[in-house]
Amino acid sequence: MCCCCFRFSGRVLGLALVHGYLLEAWFTRALYRALLRLPPALEDVDALDAQFAASLRWLQSARCVSSLELTFAVSERLADGRVLERELKPGGRELPVTARNKHEYLERVVRWRVQRGVAAQTEWLVRGFHEVVDPRLVGAFDARELELVIAGAPELDVADWRDNTEYRGGYHDDHPVIVWFWQAIDRFTNEQRLRLVQFVTGTSSIPYEGFSALRGSTGPRRFCIERWGRVESLPRAHTCFNRLDLPPYPTPQLLHEKLLLAVEETNTFGIE
């Protein structure tokens, strides 16, 4: 597609938003960030390459990086099979990664991985979008909220969700914590349920076939709840595996409170 096509698509997206027409379309979280002029996040890499994201997350917590002999340059394989070394910043080939500049390196390599091959197309789509939508009107949204505004909030089928959920770590359908979990889901509003699905899978969009067709970063992947952590911990999510790590809370009230707090107040992955 030429740049004019992406620009036109951005305008259509903006018009749909302005006139309140919900789109039955699925976009990555990275695109919603781009529409908000926000930089890509590490969780966006999870959706593209879980193994690469895991290596970046390891590097994020590593204390000594000088011994890795990294520089601000990456190797990129082109469609014709050639390998091209691309600098992440001017002179990056000669600039070593150290503990001091590690944060900048991670930001730049995340941006490169997310935008690789689509940077120009994304820019034209975003330009078209903002020709219709004043950036100030969407500036108050985060990527999750913009997704809900554009793609809508379809009514989730809780029965289908439950039928297509698997359990690990000792949890099972009749385990008290799992019983309380589904009781909490019954008490949630539809918007809160969508936020939970976003929290765990990275998107509120469910395939038209239902929860049985959920996909992870490596192919089909069912919604999963695994026992993890202590009762003081918040639930955490692994979006590339559609997995919710749920601590064994001792009461249904505490589970409900912790689940709401995790969904509404936290961002599981990101560069800190």
Side-chain angles (χ1 to χ4, degrees):
M1 293 176 67
C2 65
C3 60
C4 294
C5 295
F6 285 99
R7 184 179 181 183
F8 177 75
S9 298
R11 288 174 174 174
V12 171
L13 192 59
L15 286 170
L17 176 61
V18 169
H19 293 287
Y21 286 96
L22 299 179
L23 299 178
E24 294 185 11
W26 183 87
F27 301 111
T28 64
R29 186 66 58 77
L31 179 61
Y32 290 110
R33 287 191 222 280
L35 292 173
L36 294 170
R37 294 293 189 186
L38 297 175
L42 184 53
E43 66 181 88
D44 298 327
V45 182
D46 275 299
L48 299 172
D49 189 335
Q51 186 174 0
F52 186 65
S55 67
L56 293 182
R57 197 163 287 111
W58 176 87
L59 181 62
Q60 181 181 343
S61 60
R63 293 187 177 183
C64 181
V65 297
S66 300
S67 60
L68 300 176
E69 299 183 353
L70 296 171
T71 65
F72 277 71
V74 292
S75 296
E76 182 174 322
R77 183 176 295 277
L78 305 181
D80 59 9
R82 291 182 297 122
V83 177
L84 174 70
E85 186 177 41
R86 188 178 299 278
E87 292 186 326
L88 299 174
K89 62 186 299 186
R93 189 179 292 106
E94 306 299 328
L95 181 61
V97 178
T98 66
R100 287 189 175 184
N101 61 22
K102 178 178 69 172
H103 181 79
E104 179 189 1
Y105 171 79
L106 286 169
E107 287 182 336
R108 289 180 179 273
V109 79
V110 164
R111 186 181 300 114
W112 163 79
R113 184 62 186 86
V114 171
Q115 297 178 349
R116 186 177 68 182
V118 297
Q121 296 90 331
T122 300
E123 177 58 28
W124 279 109
L125 188 145
V126 172
R127 286 187 188 183
F129 179 78
H130 286 297
E131 286 174 1
V132 178
V133 179
D134 189 329
R136 293 173 296 181
L137 297 179
V138 293
F141 293 136
D142 60 23
R144 289 184 182 186
E145 293 166 337
L146 184 61
E147 181 181 1
L148 290 176
V149 172
I150 290 177
E155 193 72 30
L156 290 185
D157 186 340
V158 176
D160 176 59
W161 185 0
R162 183 166 186 169
D163 288 343
N164 290 284
T165 295
E166 60 185 32
Y167 309 102
R168 296 179 183 175
Y171 282 158
H172 50 81
D173 198 52
D174 295 322
H175 192 285
V177 172
I178 298 303
V179 172
W180 297 338
F181 172 83
W182 292 113
Q183 288 175 350
I185 296 303
D186 287 337
R187 293 171 57 190
F188 277 10
T189 65
N190 189 60
E191 181 179 353
Q192 289 170 331
R193 293 169 185 165
L194 285 166
R195 282 189 172 272
L196 177 59
V197 171
Q198 281 185 322
F199 178 69
V200 178
T201 69
T203 177
S204 64
S205 299
I206 302 300
Y208 69 89
E209 302 97 329
F211 279 87
S212 62
L214 277 183
R215 297 182 65 85
S217 59
T218 58
R221 180 79 65 169
R222 299 177 71 186
F223 192 95
C224 177
I225 303 176
E226 181 166 344
R227 181 170 179 160
W228 165 87
R230 299 176 298 178
V231 296
E232 298 84 7
S233 305
L234 285 174
R236 69 179 185 183
H238 300 273
T239 56
C240 49
F241 302 121
N242 296 338
R243 190 176 81 225
L244 176 67
D245 288 346
L246 187 65
Y249 298 118
T251 67
Q253 293 80 10
L254 184 60
L255 183 148
H256 185 270
E257 293 171 4
K258 294 281 191 179
L259 200 58
L260 271 182
L261 185 61
V263 170
E264 296 181 353
E265 302 295 335
T266 65
N267 184 8
T268 310
F269 295 132
I271 297 178
E272 302 176 350

